[in-house]
């Protein structure tokens, strides 16, 4: 399985955990909610759905609206298939949510993981955020070293492009620092609160530390022009 197909499967399972959907709804949500999938087609989505069904993680059901099925029949078209997450699929998705390996720190995978942080345990969120920050700090160090070696050989436009790439990474590091501090502050506040007021629904991911009022969204990885 390629890395991108693995990310797509993760995102599909996450969206279907919220509610059953048919293919068109899924594609729309992937495009609007997860911008990293805005360029993919039905030719990519449906093989993914077939694989998830074959693995027992999704179930196919006919559309729920009788008039839709009737209209499709009269028009000679197939009724829309609704995809529903199975119990095995939910368990598999929760296993994926708990994963914090190096691949979760990469650009596309991190964006997908962040989109489902509301369903992720706080300690897992922290490990993913800190891993992502470490990865970007390494990238930033290499970019600075490369720029120092080649500065004299670059024309003004190429130099400006390099600076723009560095600024993009620096912005994301600052953003990650804020998120990490917010998570820590929320964790510390939760520990100091009475046990009776610290109960949270496991399925919500205990998202109390996220500074929602600031409208923070993950930077677009495509803005990093100097990977």
């Amino acid at each position: 399985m390629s890395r991108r197909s693995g990310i797509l499967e993760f995102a599909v399972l996450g969206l279907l955990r919220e509610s059953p959907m048919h293919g068109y709804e899924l594609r729309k949500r992937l495009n609007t909610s997860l911008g990293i999938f805005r360029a993919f087609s039905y030719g990519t989505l449906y093989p993914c759905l077939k694989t998830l069904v074959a693995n027992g993680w999704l179930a196919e059901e006919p559309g729920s609206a009788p008039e839709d099925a009737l209209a499709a029949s009269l028009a000679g078209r197939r009724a829309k298939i609704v995809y529903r997450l199975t119990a095995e699929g939910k368990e598999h998705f929760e296993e994926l949510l708990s994963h914090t390996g190096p691949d979760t720190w990469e650009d596309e995978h991190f964006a997908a993981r962040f989109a489902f942080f509301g369903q992720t345990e706080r300690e897992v969120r922290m490990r993913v955020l800190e891993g992502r920050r470490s990865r970007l700090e390494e990238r930033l160090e290499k970019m600075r070293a490369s720029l120092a070696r080649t500065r004299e050989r670059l024309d003004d436009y190429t130099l400006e492009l390099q600076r723009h790439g560095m600024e993009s990474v620096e912005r994301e590091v600052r953003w990650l620092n804020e998120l990490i501090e917010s998570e820590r502050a929320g964790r510390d506040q939760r520990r100091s609160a009475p046990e009776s007021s610290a109960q949270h629904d496991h399925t919500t991911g205990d998202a109390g530390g996220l500074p929602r009022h600031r409208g923070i969204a993950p930077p677009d990885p495509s803005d990093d022009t100097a990977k």
Side-chain angles (χ1 to χ4, degrees):
M1 180 192 304
S2 69
R3 175 177 294 178
R4 186 167 178 81
S5 63
I7 298 170
L8 178 58
E9 290 186 3
F10 171 84
V12 167
L13 292 172
L15 290 175
L16 290 177
R17 187 184 187 189
E18 299 173 5
S19 65
M21 301 181 205
H22 54 69
Y24 175 79
E25 291 174 313
L26 269 172
R27 184 170 184 264
K28 185 177 180 180
R29 288 290 305 278
L30 288 165
N31 284 332
T32 57
S33 303
L34 302 173
I36 59 174
F37 296 108
R38 55 180 171 262
F40 88 106
S41 65
Y42 286 113
T44 302
L45 175 60
Y46 282 106
C48 172
L49 291 172
K50 288 182 181 297
T51 298
L52 295 175
V53 170
N55 288 338
W57 298 329
L58 299 184
E60 295 179 327
E61 300 175 346
S64 58
E67 61 273 16
D68 291 345
L70 177 60
S73 176
L74 292 174
R77 294 181 283 105
R78 293 176 57 189
K80 291 180 179 178
I81 296 175
V82 173
Y83 295 91
R84 176 181 56 81
L85 193 67
T86 64
E88 293 80 4
K90 181 179 180 181
E91 182 178 350
H92 178 63
F93 180 67
E94 290 175 350
E95 290 176 0
L96 294 176
L97 279 180
S98 67
H99 179 58
T100 59
D103 59 316
T104 65
W105 311 336
E106 301 298 337
D107 293 341
E108 289 188 344
H109 206 150
F110 173 76
R113 285 300 302 266
F114 189 85
F116 296 100
F117 261 23
Q119 303 180 41
T120 306
E121 291 293 327
R122 184 187 301 273
E123 294 304 319
V124 175
R125 292 199 303 262
M126 283 291 291
R127 289 196 294 271
V128 173
L129 290 172
E130 290 173 342
R132 174 65 174 174
R133 180 175 64 179
S134 177
R135 177 59 50 84
L136 290 183
E137 288 173 341
E138 293 174 3
R139 182 184 300 176
L140 190 58
E141 183 178 350
K142 291 178 181 178
M143 293 168 69
R144 287 169 174 163
S146 176
L147 184 61
R149 291 193 305 268
T150 61
R151 181 186 299 271
E152 299 302 323
R153 302 195 299 271
L154 299 177
D155 61 54
D156 291 342
Y157 296 102
T158 304
L159 183 60
E160 192 61 30
L161 186 64
Q162 295 290 317
R163 288 173 175 166
H164 172 67
M166 288 177 56
E167 290 172 359
S168 298
V169 178
E170 289 169 345
R171 282 196 301 271
E172 186 170 350
V173 169
R174 290 194 297 270
W175 173 73
L176 289 167
N177 285 335
E178 292 178 3
L179 285 175
I180 291 169
E181 289 305 311
S182 295
E183 291 285 352
R184 286 174 176 165
R187 179 177 60 189
D188 293 342
Q189 181 179 13
R190 184 168 179 261
R191 285 176 174 174
S192 62
E195 183 176 350
S196 60
S197 65
Q199 299 299 320
H200 293 273
D201 185 355
H202 174 80
T203 61
T204 63
D206 186 19
L210 186 64
R212 297 181 185 278
H213 65 283
R214 302 188 59 181
I216 295 178
D220 187 347
S222 62
D223 189 42
D224 182 358
T225 58
K227 296 179 183 178

